[in-house]
Structures are given as structure tokens and as C-alpha cells.
Amino acid sequence: AQTVTQSQPEMSVQEAETVTLSCTYDTSESDYYLFWYKQPPSRQMILVIRQEAYKQQNATENRFSVNFQKAAKSFSLKISDSQLGDAAMYFCACAYDSNYQLIWGAGTKLIIKP
Amino acid sequence: EAQVTQNPRYLITVTGKKLTVTCSQNMNHEYMSWYRQDPGLGLRQIYYSMNVEVTDKGDVPEGYKVSRKEKRNFPLILESPSPNQTSLYFCASSLIRGNQETQYFGPGTRLLVL
């Protein structure tokens, strides 16, 4: 079965510092896509960053970057210069070519300390 | 503005009283999907639709129905709601396929079944 695991239910970081959220996945597929979504208190789901598995270069979006380790099946999210507005639930998700579903992790709650 | 809308945003109902949650997108997306979100479980897919008149079961379809008569609309129907369907529901859409393409999420519908 294809699974996505986020082992950190909650993380906290001081404002302006850097934090890394972990995500691992399990698949035998060769072609897939990885996503990080943010869910602020408003509960809306917002795409943070996306990575194609066939690309070796790690995706980056402003203060957000990923460390994609394909062999280890790891896809961590690094948030630099953390801001109060980054406080949210963060979900890791994986999508496969063989079906039309996203497989989701359980989420990590990120707390930003002022 | 490109968006996915859901109505109602909040709903309290009683066991057995049929209800419909509407979902509409204005981006001409082919793929639409319904998820439910429960604490500690992340998002689980209920149903998805590849195009008009094409729908398929996701991971947790029991107790739900959907229809896709028009491209822009994808209502979620609970024929006889039960308390275990109390949850936060999200509708999402994407241009071609639900995995490779970035999904756009609606604001969510919080349902309480008494």
C-alpha cells in the first residue's frame, strides 16, 4: 500500500529561525509527485510547494524549500526566516501516475513563537 | 478570480436528514474531488470525477453519493447522514488529472451530524 508518514505531530520554532518538517513515503512507483500543503486556522488548503520525482533539483519557493531524497523516500520541508503567518498545519502528499488520488500524511502542526 | 466554492460553509443537521453540499469551480477543470478531514487522519478521498458523467470511489465512499452533470459542479450528497460523518469536507479541482496537476481547494464545509 502507498503511504505517506509525517512523524512529527507538532513542531515549534522561534520567529525568524529555520524549521524543517519531515515526510517519508512508501511506494514502488517510479513516477510520482510530491506536495506540501499549508492549512492555516482559516482551514483552507494552500499549496506551498511541489516536486516532481524525476527532477533531481530540489524545489524552492521563496522561504520554502524541500530536501528530496528519492532513494530514502524522504521529502522534508524547510522554512527559513519563520514568520508568525507560517503558523498552520502542514500536510505532505504524494500523487502517482498509476491512479488519480493524492495520498496524504496526517499533518504537522507548526507553532511560531514570537 | 479563479476559485472553488463550497456551500454551506457550516452545517448542523440530525441523523437521517438528507443533505447536499455544493461545489463549483470556475476554472474549466476536468478533475474534481471530495475529501474529508478528521483529526490525526489527514485528508481522505471520498469520490472523484475525471470529467462530466465520470465518477469513481475514493478511499471512504460509504454513505456518500456524488454527481457530475456539468463540468463546473460536483455536489456531495449524504442520503442518510450519521454522526460518524461529522467532519470537515473539502472539494478540490485540477486541470487535467488529480495527481500531477496542482489541486485547488475550496474553503471547506464543517458538518456536524447530531
Side-chain angles (χ1 to χ4, degrees):
Chain A
Q2 296 159 337
T3 59
V4 174
T5 302
Q6 293 179 249
S7 58
Q8 307 151 316
E10 187 174 296
M11 290 281 285
S12 63
V13 64
Q14 206 71 36
E15 189 177 5
E17 293 188 347
T18 295
V19 64
T20 299
L21 309 183
S22 301
C23 173
T24 58
Y25 56 94
D26 187 16
T27 182
S28 56
E29 304 261 349
S30 57
D31 208 5
Y32 51 90
Y33 302 79
L34 296 158
F35 304 84
W36 277 99
Y37 280 88
K38 169 184 177 181
Q39 187 179 45
S42 66
R43 306 304 265 172
Q44 188 143 10
M45 297 293 280
I46 303 166
L47 178 68
V48 174
I49 202 163
R50 160 197 160 137
Q51 172 85 40
E52 291 88 345
Y54 61 84
K55 288 187 178 177
Q56 292 186 334
Q57 187 173 6
N58 289 326
T60 299
E61 285 288 341
N62 301 314
R63 297 183 295 107
F64 298 87
S65 61
V66 299
N67 183 6
F68 175 45
Q69 302 287 329
K70 192 170 183 178
K73 296 179 182 174
S74 170
F75 182 61
S76 59
L77 176 70
K78 185 171 88 171
I79 306 174
S80 305
D81 185 25
S82 299
Q83 300 175 0
L84 294 177
D86 295 333
M89 284 289 290
Y90 285 82
F91 291 93
C92 178
C94 188
Y96 306 93
D97 249 354
S98 61
N99 61 33
Y100 303 102
Q101 295 179 263
L102 274 174
I103 310 298
W104 294 81
T108 296
K109 182 178 181 180
L110 178 62
I111 298 167
I112 311 294
K113 299 176 187 174
Chain B
E1 180 191 351
Q3 60 182 349
V4 178
T5 56
Q6 293 178 230
N7 282 293
R9 295 288 313 279
Y10 304 92
L11 180 60
I12 301 174
T13 189
V14 295
T15 299
K17 185 176 181 182
K18 180 179 178 180
L19 67 92
T20 299
V21 184
T22 64
C23 173
S24 183
Q25 50 94 3
N26 62 1
M27 295 168 278
N28 202 36
H29 284 171
E30 292 182 1
Y31 183 97
M32 296 185 76
S33 179
W34 275 104
Y35 295 93
R36 62 178 288 174
Q37 183 182 8
D38 302 289
L41 295 177
L43 274 78
R44 294 179 293 168
Q45 192 174 46
I46 303 170
Y47 269 95
Y48 64 94
S49 170
M50 295 297 294
N51 214 326
V52 175
E53 301 294 359
V54 180
T55 62
D56 278 296
K57 295 178 180 178
D59 297 318
V60 288
E62 293 78 22
Y64 304 94
K65 285 174 58 178
V66 293
S67 69
R68 188 90 182 273
K69 295 188 172 71
E70 306 164 284
K71 200 170 189 179
R72 63 182 293 126
N73 296 323
F74 190 45
L76 179 69
I77 304 155
L78 284 72
E79 294 272 3
S80 182
S82 61
N84 64 13
Q85 293 179 297
T86 292
S87 188
L88 176 60
Y89 291 87
F90 286 99
C91 179
S93 74
S94 61
L95 182 60
I96 299 173
R97 298 173 64 176
N99 51 1
Q100 296 177 28
E101 298 295 326
T102 300
Q103 292 199 32
Y104 294 81
F105 282 82
T109 295
R110 186 169 290 283
L111 172 64
L112 173 61
V113 183
L114 300 173

